Amino acid sequence: MAETWQRMEYSTWDEAFRGLAPVIRQQSARVADYTRELYVQACEDGFGRKNREWEGRVRGQYADTAYKCGLYHQIGKALVPPEYQKWRDDFTAEELAVYRKYTADGRLLAAALQEKGARKKKADTQKERPTKNIPWLMIREACGQHMERYDGSGYPEGLTGDRISPIGQIVGLARELDRLASETRSENPFDEACETLIAQSGVLWSSVLIEILKNSREKCREVYEKYIYYTLTIPKTIPLVERREGRPMGLCYRPMIDSERKVRAFEAAPWFQTEADGTREHLHLDETEHLLLRTGLLYDTCLYLLYEAADAALRAKNCGLSIESFLMRLPIDFYTHENMLPRLVKLCENEGIPRDMFYVTIPEAALFEENSHAPDIVRTYIKEGFALVLDGFHPKRMSAEELKDYGFTWLRLAPELIGLQETANAITVLRRQGFHFIGGGADTAESLKWQLGSGVSYVSGTLTGPLMEEDEMIRTSLIREQSL
């Protein structure tokens, strides 16, 4: 096959990923999950904080990028025949050289795909254009350095110590953890894999990175167990909306955790297909509100996404999951449509969905706009039993009495107030009066710790978990709750 195989060219990440053998794609998906957990722990533990060359490279805001680093770290294998994509003990010296070349080729391919996406034209796959874009650099380093080892025994360059980038070290450890856990034949393969890696501390792996593995061990165990039960049967629910292939929009879900760091709810995050190649961009609906209004699609778009969220709620209910709510951020103009409230009421009644299982937001600023109908809208929706969340809440702008007059019980802080002592004090006072807080933007360990410690009921952000498709969200929740 190798004699007749022709080197492929790829225009998109998806094309290149499909060029990998199925077993490599499956492995990469597992490594992506391990990578994210290790990276999040690295952020919390301050990995590389004292290394000036790594400044700004290990931050919670890049946790989703770290997942992509794990997912695409073997992308260079798409450039070689399938028989050379998986390591074999009987490789000749020449075949071994071909196999190992995938790391350097992968970095070049990653750079080319990034350039093509930005420039909308063919990029050079033989030469890497330098970049200061940290997410771009992380993916390139993950592709090129994940087989480097701390003592210099790795490849392709034999880098040592901190000459290996933080993401290169993390993806390398994630990959080896997956390999050992998958190949070890014993009663406790995951624990034995961890112990093997711990024994290599200071040799193949940084001792600091091994401490990160120890601290994230239980989270990594959840990843291991998830894939053991990946074929878990999920109870079927007749969908309310059709999920056609190539549809231009949909929802992903990010876990929301409580003070015990347990997943209690999910935030529904809309995505929109922005390019012909299927590229998705996650945007808040209020970021696209002006375009949707201009094209007359705002109401239909919001309603479609709400029906998709209702599908998720129904599946969670049918699976017996203890998910308490789904949060969805909506623009103020959505609520002004005269037929919207009756349709939502009918939806909940027909499908047996509790109205307070949907936490939909209404921006605080809308309440202060001149000639705004928002105050009446709020009172009407809350009177009908819907849990409206006051989004962008500033304690100094509205008193507890005004909040109660509207009927609000759920508040979401304005992002700029997170981390302030006076905000923490206000939360304490308002909680005593029966109000509950939802947080967000937990992209740093400091922000996450502050919100959980200040009495916020649910927190979401890149550090609380990855964005997931609906099936993955349901499956992950089932496995998590069955293991309790």
Side-chain angles (χ1 to χ4, degrees):
M1 183 184 294
E3 288 76 12
T4 60
W5 187 85
Q6 292 184 341
R7 184 182 173 99
M8 298 291 291
E9 291 188 3
Y10 301 103
S11 300
T12 68
W13 290 97
D14 189 52
E15 278 183 8
F17 193 71
R18 289 200 302 268
L20 298 172
V23 66
I24 303 300
R25 293 199 299 268
Q26 293 163 12
Q27 180 191 36
S28 296
R30 298 193 303 268
V31 172
D33 273 344
Y34 284 124
T35 296
R36 195 183 193 285
E37 296 301 342
L38 289 167
Y39 186 87
V40 168
Q41 190 65 52
C43 293
E44 293 199 25
D45 292 356
F47 183 47
R49 191 169 290 167
K50 296 180 180 179
N51 188 324
R52 290 186 178 181
E53 294 183 7
W54 291 1
E55 189 174 357
R57 303 282 293 282
V58 186
R59 291 183 176 177
Q61 68 194 81
Y62 301 130
D64 290 342
T65 298
Y67 177 89
K68 293 180 181 178
C69 289
L71 189 65
Y72 296 130
H73 78 283
Q74 301 186 87
I75 206 78
K77 290 183 177 180
L79 300 173
V80 299
E83 62 264 37
Y84 292 126
Q85 290 189 17
K86 185 167 174 51
W87 168 270
R88 295 202 319 267
D89 292 333
D90 62 349
F91 272 155
T92 65
E94 292 77 14
E95 289 172 330
L96 180 59
V98 171
Y99 174 82
R100 288 187 166 186
K101 194 171 181 290
Y102 84 87
T103 52
D105 285 350
R107 177 163 184 151
L108 287 173
L109 176 58
L113 291 172
Q114 290 165 347
E115 289 290 336
K116 182 184 182 302
R119 298 171 181 273
K120 306 295 187 293
K121 63 180 181 180
K122 186 175 180 180
D124 188 357
T125 59
Q126 303 301 314
K127 184 179 180 182
E128 178 183 345
R129 191 188 301 268
T131 182
K132 293 184 178 179
N133 182 309
I134 291 179
W136 281 23
L137 194 56
M138 286 173 63
I139 293 176
R140 295 181 192 185
E141 290 171 342
C143 293
Q145 297 180 3
H146 65 269
M147 292 306 296
E148 302 285 3
R149 294 295 177 260
Y150 203 67
D151 63 356
S153 62
Y155 62 87
E157 298 182 61
L159 300 177
T160 60
D162 288 350
R163 292 180 62 202
I164 310 169
S165 68
I167 194 63
Q169 294 188 44
I170 291 170
V171 173
L173 185 65
R175 176 188 169 91
E176 189 65 3
L177 174 60
D178 175 72
R179 185 188 72 80
L180 291 170
S182 300
E183 297 178 2
T184 300
R185 298 292 178 260
S186 73
E187 292 184 0
N188 299 297
F190 176 79
D191 287 320
E192 289 195 20
C194 287
E195 292 308 316
T196 298
L197 294 171
I198 291 170
Q200 298 167 345
S201 176
V203 182
L204 298 183
W205 317 102
S206 158
S207 58
V208 177
L209 186 58
I210 291 300
E211 288 301 313
I212 288 169
L213 170 62
K214 292 178 183 178
N215 293 338
S216 62
R217 186 164 177 161
E218 293 311 308
K219 284 292 185 180
C220 288
R221 188 192 303 279
E222 290 180 11
V223 173
Y224 173 76
E225 292 176 348
K226 178 176 79 170
Y227 286 99
I228 285 180
Y229 301 109
Y230 203 77
T231 57
L232 183 72
T233 300
I234 303 175
K236 295 293 184 181
T237 299
I238 299 174
L240 299 173
V241 293
E242 184 179 356
R243 318 294 172 81
R244 294 192 303 269
E245 186 174 351
R247 62 197 177 117
M249 60 188 172
L251 291 175
C252 282
Y253 300 87
R254 191 183 296 280
M256 303 190 77
I257 63 175
D258 64 9
S259 58
E260 297 179 354
R261 303 209 174 201
K262 294 181 179 179
V263 177
R264 297 298 189 189
F266 283 89
E267 181 165 12
W271 58 262
F272 296 88
Q273 184 174 306
T274 56
E275 300 295 340
D277 64 5
T279 301
R280 292 180 178 184
E281 186 173 359
H282 289 277
L283 299 168
H284 289 302
L285 280 169
D286 52 6
E287 294 179 275
T288 60
E289 181 179 6
H290 64 288
L291 176 61
L292 294 172
L293 274 173
R294 190 169 69 244
T295 56
L297 295 174
L298 177 69
Y299 309 115
D300 289 339
T301 297
C302 291
L303 195 61
Y304 174 88
L305 294 174
L306 274 171
Y307 268 73
E308 188 166 321
D311 272 341
L314 278 172
R315 294 183 74 186
K317 180 182 176 183
N318 289 346
C319 292
L321 295 173
S322 60
I323 297 173
E324 296 173 2
S325 62
F326 289 88
L327 175 70
M328 190 166 175
R329 188 173 179 181
L330 293 173
I332 181 61
D333 286 288
F334 165 79
Y335 299 97
T336 61
H337 196 286
E338 60 182 357
N339 293 324
M340 201 55 67
L341 181 58
R343 294 183 73 170
L344 288 180
V345 170
K346 186 176 180 180
L347 167 65
C348 292
E349 289 178 347
N350 289 349
E351 304 301 331
I353 303 173
R355 298 184 191 184
D356 60 357
M357 195 170 185
F358 290 116
Y359 284 14
V360 289
T361 68
I362 190 162
E364 182 194 69
L367 301 179
F368 296 99
E369 292 178 358
E370 190 174 355
N371 300 321
S372 172
H373 297 291
D376 294 332
I377 291 171
V378 168
R379 293 185 178 96
T380 302
Y381 270 78
I382 292 177
K383 185 177 180 180
E384 287 289 344
F386 289 97
L388 260 62
V389 179
L390 184 61
D391 196 21
F393 172 64
H394 292 72
K396 291 184 178 180
R397 291 185 186 173
M398 297 186 70
S399 66
E401 289 70 25
E402 290 174 305
L403 293 170
K404 290 177 181 178
D405 179 60
Y406 281 112
F408 284 117
T409 56
W410 286 93
L411 313 170
R412 195 173 202 184
L413 291 168
E416 65 270 19
L417 301 184
I418 292 175
L420 302 178
Q421 184 57 50
E422 61 180 325
T423 305
N425 297 339
I427 291 175
T428 300
V429 172
L430 288 167
R431 286 185 67 211
R432 290 172 181 166
Q433 299 182 62
F435 295 97
H436 306 281
F437 285 82
I438 292 178
D443 302 329
T444 66
E446 294 76 15
S447 174
L448 178 61
K449 182 178 180 180
W450 183 91
Q451 293 186 65
L452 294 178
S454 297
V456 174
S457 297
Y458 305 134
V459 182
S460 66
T462 53
L463 292 185
T464 66
L467 286 168
M468 294 177 276
E469 299 284 348
E470 184 180 305
D471 282 348
E472 182 72 3
M473 182 265 294
I474 296 293
R475 181 182 290 108
T476 300
S477 298
L478 277 169
I479 293 169
R480 181 189 302 112
E481 295 195 13
Q482 287 182 5
S483 66
L484 295 177

